[in-house]
Amino acid sequence: MQPNSTATREPEGNQMEEKGSDEKTVKYYRLSEVEEHNSFKSTWIIINYKVYDVTKFLEEHPGGEEVLREQAGGDATESFEDVGHSTDAREMASTLLIGELHPDDRHKITKIPESLVTTVHETTSWWSNWLIPALSAAIVMLMYRIYRAEEA
């Protein structure tokens, strides 16, 4: 391979390796392979298309191992980002990195963002907007007049 040439891929079972111009090897894992690693003996998760082996970290995780076990064998990106992990946590995660999700499988975990706005179409009549407040005001005024009449 010539220096600074484009990346080449070498198949290796279900995994693929890519060597770039810096000669670092990136292992690619298929989604089906990651999904198989969802037990106590082997726990893998995906965060931002990167595959992490968190098996040895289960007992050390500050949020408890259940948090990682719930995401085992799948995409934990949303959960990881929602918690707002510190820079130290992100650096620690990089030590658990074992590869990346195969590019052909990335679309399988891409989720359509959910809308946080809920629109409720409710038909209201004029009495709920005007009559109830008007009656409430009339009752309060009547009670005030009775109170003032008893004082005099």
Side-chain angles (χ1 to χ4, degrees):
M1 186 160 88
Q2 297 175 354
N4 297 329
S5 66
T6 58
T8 60
R9 292 183 178 168
E10 302 166 5
E12 192 179 285
N14 273 348
Q15 305 165 12
M16 289 180 79
E17 293 185 11
E18 183 174 290
K19 293 181 181 179
S21 58
D22 58 0
E23 291 302 320
K24 284 188 178 180
T25 302
V26 177
K27 271 196 174 177
Y28 286 101
Y29 294 95
R30 300 305 299 227
L31 183 57
S32 59
E33 187 176 1
V34 175
E35 289 171 344
E36 292 173 5
H37 293 271
N38 62 359
S39 67
F40 287 107
K41 292 181 180 179
S42 182
T43 306
W44 292 6
I45 60 173
I46 302 167
I47 301 173
N48 296 317
Y49 304 121
K50 293 183 174 26
V51 180
Y52 297 87
D53 183 353
V54 295
T55 310
K56 294 178 182 173
F57 185 65
L58 288 174
E59 293 179 11
E60 299 172 29
H61 187 259
E65 70 180 63
E66 300 82 26
V67 176
L68 295 174
R69 296 280 307 128
E70 287 174 6
Q71 304 297 324
D75 184 24
T77 303
E78 187 175 348
S79 299
F80 184 82
E81 297 299 343
D82 284 350
V83 171
H85 284 89
S86 66
T87 306
D88 290 342
R90 292 175 188 276
E91 287 175 12
M92 185 180 294
S94 68
T95 64
L96 305 171
L97 179 67
I98 58 171
E100 293 186 17
L101 185 64
H102 193 281
D104 293 344
D105 287 344
R106 291 181 181 187
H107 72 280
K108 294 177 183 176
I109 64 168
T110 303
K111 296 179 182 141
I112 299 169
E114 296 177 17
S115 173
L116 298 177
V117 177
T118 304
T119 306
V120 177
H121 297 288
E122 187 178 310
T123 56
T124 57
S125 60
W126 66 274
W127 67 270
S128 63
N129 289 332
W130 296 101
L131 187 59
I132 293 175
L135 283 174
S136 298
I139 291 171
V140 168
M141 185 176 73
L142 182 61
M143 290 173 64
Y144 178 73
R145 287 188 178 220
I146 293 172
Y147 174 74
R148 295 285 290 173
E150 288 177 1
E151 265 186 12

